[in-house]
Amino acid sequence: MTSGNTGPHYSPFTLGGGLIFVSGQLPLRPGRDTTLAAASFREQAEQALSNLRAVLASAGADLSQVVKTTVYLTDIADWDELDEVYGAFFGTARPARSVIATGPLHFRFRIEIEAIAVAAKTAG
C-alpha cells in the first residue's frame, strides 16, 4: 500500500487493491486557506471538487476513474446546488454517490467530499 504526500496524521490518498482512496476534501485553497468558510455553498463545492481533482491527479488519476463518492453537507437544503456543481465537474461520469447530512464540519465549511477511484484507466 502506498500513500500520497503525508499530512500531519493522514494522507490525501492511499493506494490499495487497485483502488485510490481519497481522504475527505474540504474547500481549502492551497496552503490551508480557510477564507472560503464564509463563501457561498457553490464556491465551497467548486473548491472541494477542485481539491478532489488535484489529489486524484497527484495519484495519477482523474475524475473519470472515480467509482464512489461520499459527500458530507452541513445543510441538506444544499442538495440541488450540489447536483449542479457536481454534474459540471463529473460530466458524463456517474460514480455511485452517498450524500450525508452532518453537524458542523471543520473550519465551519459546508461541504466535504471523499472518493474511491480505480487506480488504472481501462480501455474502452
Side-chain angles (χ1 to χ4, degrees), residues 3-121:
S3 300
N5 297 329
T6 304
H9 56 278
Y10 72 96
S11 296
F13 70 88
T14 300
L15 298 172
L19 298 172
I20 304 165
F21 297 88
V22 179
S23 295
Q25 297 299 302
L26 292 164
L28 289 165
R29 291 185 177 132
R32 298 191 57 81
D33 178 356
T34 62
T35 59
L36 284 180
S40 71
F41 176 78
R42 178 174 295 276
E43 289 175 277
Q44 288 192 29
E46 288 172 346
Q47 186 65 54
L49 286 161
S50 291
N51 294 347
L52 172 62
R53 183 171 44 211
V55 171
L56 287 167
S58 71
D62 61 41
L63 291 173
S64 72
Q65 293 166 249
V66 174
V67 293
K68 171 73 168 81
T69 63
T70 304
V71 181
Y72 302 94
L73 300 178
T74 59
D75 187 346
I76 204 68
D78 289 326
W79 184 299
D80 290 339
E81 197 160 22
L82 167 66
D83 272 346
E84 290 176 27
V85 175
Y86 187 95
F89 268 78
F90 280 96
T92 60
R94 301 271 185 217
R97 181 180 82 179
S98 299
V99 178
I100 301 168
T102 68
L105 293 170
H106 201 45
F107 302 119
R108 296 183 331 268
F109 286 127
R110 295 168 61 183
I111 184 172
E112 182 171 352
I113 184 167
E114 62 185 31
I116 301 170
V118 294
K121 286 190 177 186

